[in-house]
């Protein structure tokens, strides 16, 4: 870090396994906040079961990694935290505080009690119905997945997640980053409604099968999703 802003060298690297789990050893001991960034690979869509190729980097930030860390979850929401924290740090907030402020901001927007990077998404109807953070995060990810597959935003690629993170980087869900439109594919800009009405609409496209319960209906998804559309 330099003056509290992101920067510096690589302190370790690794590769995820087939289920997305990862671990790595630190090559050097970091003295400040660390960003863990994933790129490439592929994964299975929560809503359609199709294979999706990763085209957008995703990040999770940790204030202190000097003693190691377990249970870190890298998702589109943790990436939103990264982008928001980076913006705050660029405005003069020390990076450690910027991460905490960004955690509070993104968690609040999606109804989570804990920072997104500390929550493991669990795709079961039991977790969904309990309104736990794990169930909520799973529903959020499934909704973002459905939003991507729907083509509503003008693209069905994985780059949608990077664009959504940029949307929240300035603290506003308006399809812009600091007043500038966010590119989404060739000649396409992220709609101003992406993180509001488009996200809410995608809830009805999440199948109950994503949570192992084919009896769950579109209305159920809206009801269970009421806490993540704040």
């Amino acid at each position: 870090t330099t003056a509290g802003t992101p920067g510096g060298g690589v302190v370790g690297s690794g590769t995820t396994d087939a289920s997305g789990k990862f671990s790595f050893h630190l090559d050097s001991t970091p003295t400040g906040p660390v960003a863990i960034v994933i790129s490439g690979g592929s994964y299975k869509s929560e809503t359609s079961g199709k294979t999706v190729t990763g085209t957008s980097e995703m990040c999770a930030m940790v204030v202190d990694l000097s003693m190691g860390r377990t249970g870190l979850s890298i998702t589109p929401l943790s990436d939103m935290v990264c982008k928001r924290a980076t913006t705050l740090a660029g405005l003069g907030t020390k990076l450690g505080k910027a991460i905490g402020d960004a955690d509070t901001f993104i968690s609040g927007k999606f109804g989570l009690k804990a920072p997104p990077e500390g929550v493991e998404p669990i795709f079961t109807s039991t977790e969904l119905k309990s309104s736990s953070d794990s169930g909520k995060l799973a529903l959020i990810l499934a909704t973002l997945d459905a939003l991507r597959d729907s083509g509503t935003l003008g693209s069905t690629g994985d780059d949608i997640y990077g664009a959504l993170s940029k949307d929240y980087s300035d603290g506003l869900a308006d399809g812009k980053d600091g007043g500038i439109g966010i590119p989404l594919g060739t000649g396409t800009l992220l709609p101003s409604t992406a993180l509001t009405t488009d996200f809410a609409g995608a809830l009805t496209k999440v199948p109950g099968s994503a949570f192992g319960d084919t009896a769950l209906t579109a209305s159920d998804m809206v009801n269970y999703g009421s806490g993540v559309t704040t």
Side-chain angles (χ1 to χ4, degrees), residues 107 110-116 118-122 127 130-140 228:
S107 294
F110 290 97
L112 299 178
K113 297 177 182 177
V119 179
E120 177 188 1
I122 299 177
E127 288 293 333
S130 72
S131 294
S132 67
D133 271 0
S134 291
K136 283 185 176 181
L137 181 56
L139 180 57
I140 292 164
V228 303

Side-chain angles (χ1 to χ4, degrees), residues 117-151:
E117 64 272 15
V119 179
E120 177 188 1
I122 299 177
F123 289 85
T124 66
S125 58
T126 299
E127 288 293 333
L128 178 65
K129 294 172 183 178
S130 72
S131 294
S132 67
D133 271 0
S134 291
K136 283 185 176 181
L137 181 56
L139 180 57
I140 292 164
L141 298 181
T143 302
L144 292 174
D145 188 73
L147 182 59
R148 184 202 64 229
D149 283 353
S150 71

Side-chain angles (χ1 to χ4, degrees), residues 28-96:
S28 60
T29 303
T31 57
V34 174
I36 296 89
V37 180
I38 60 172
S39 62
S42 62
Y43 54 93
K44 187 171 291 187
S45 162
E46 288 92 352
T47 58
S48 71
K50 296 178 181 178
T51 298
V52 181
T53 299
T55 57
S56 181
E57 287 187 343
M58 283 189 207
C59 155
M61 283 186 170
V62 180
V63 174
D64 183 4
L65 201 61
S66 61
M67 300 301 291
R69 172 71 185 265
T70 59
L72 188 68
S73 202
I74 305 177
T75 68
L77 261 66
S78 72
D79 194 60
M80 291 177 188
V81 171
C82 286
K83 296 297 191 297
R84 179 63 182 150
T86 300
T87 296
L88 292 173
L91 294 173
T93 303
K94 290 295 185 181
L95 187 53

